[in-house]
Amino acid sequence: MLLSNCYNYHDFRKLAQKRLPGPIFNYIDGGADDEVTMRRNSEAFQSCDLIPNVLTGVKDIDLSVEVMGQKLALPVYLSPTALQRLFHHQGERATAGAAEKFGTMFGVSSLGTVSMEEIAKKYDTPQVYQFYFHKDRGLNRAMMERAKESNIEVMMLTVDSITGGNRERDLRTGFAIPFRLNLKGLWQFATRPMWGINYITHEKFSLPQLDAHIDMGGGASSIGDYFTNMLDPSMNWKDVEEMVKFWDGQFCLKGIMSVEDAKRAVDIGCTGIVISNHGGRQLDGSRSSFDHLAETVDAVGDKIDVIFDSGAQRGTHVLKALALGAKAVGLGRYYLFALAAAGQKGVERAMQLMVAEIERDMRLMGCSKISDLNRDHIRFR
């Protein structure tokens, strides 16, 4: 299967599955427990239909939006995700390069494999730093100061991951960082030799946001241990309010799934929230992001930027979220499978296809700019 034969999310997923060792593919592909929420995230779009208007004289399409103080050429951005150089040796460099080419926002994770400083210096694109709250308050302050010094535009605090979700696919393969594979997992690596060649012939795997503070490579800690032992489950609204004041800029909470929490985010001075259930990777059985979007927008959409995340695979999915009032849509697995399939070329092809879908669907909807989309364009079954 060639990259040129990939035309949608499912094609990129298939190509990634052919190229990645099973444990790494399943790390991207899997969710928590029975993966009910992960499946519902995408299925939820099927309960909503688009209502197009015809004869509106659509000629030029303007896909630009402004979100979290950033002017983007597209209503989609590349969400911060962990461990990208495991998926392809280019890692975050490929993702940032594609985001720069398409004029949209890109996020670096606390568990990123390229430093925030390098990305901020090399790529001219708005950058989000996705932050986890640690028990060590000094570490929290140091990481925020690094982000400030790197001129990162948006701080995005993940609030739904104070402990790791129960990802049973990873338990079955023995996936961990550092690798602790069982025999089945080792066989999967042996059958994907090109991945192993790329892994050992490029720079040593590292987590530069954390390496100065936590030993993640010497066997002292795994990713699971990191979530369980390093992150602070006692994090509360007062802690976050202090962070918002210290950052003194665009500050977003990722993982908001209740109207009450959305209102609290407004009260403490956040400028954005991401409606997200972490792609179904944390609390299985929680509501899908799309099902929850409208009531959140109705409650706080006039006071704070409401961003949508989790499950978008098509241009029509993006339009439905925007019509409900989301300011932008974050893409996760959609671009990660493309990254795993072919590095930056893969991400660029995925973005090219997504942009083409959105532009075509906007024309079919009779809308020439994103702000034309509204609740009149959708009906729930």
Side-chain angles (χ1 to χ4, degrees), residues 322-324 370-378:
L322 295 172
L324 285 177
I370 297 300
S371 59
D372 289 341
L373 291 164
N374 58 61
R375 301 280 176 92
D376 291 336
H377 290 112
I378 51 176

Side-chain angles (χ1 to χ4, degrees), residues 144 148 155 242-251:
M144 291 182 72
K148 277 181 172 287
M155 178 61 66
E242 291 175 358
M243 293 178 68
V244 172
K245 291 178 180 177
F246 175 76
W247 181 252
D248 191 27
Q250 297 289 339
F251 197 104

Side-chain angles (χ1 to χ4, degrees), residues 7-11 42 45 76 311-321 329 331 334 353-355 357-358 360-361:
Y7 294 99
N8 59 36
Y9 166 87
H10 303 287
D11 292 340
S42 295
F45 294 104
V76 295
Q313 299 174 359
R314 282 287 191 184
T316 50
H317 296 171
V318 173
L319 295 194
K320 290 175 182 181
V329 174
L331 303 176
Y334 178 81
L353 291 168
M354 177 60 76
V355 172
E357 284 191 19
I358 295 174
R360 179 173 57 249
D361 295 338

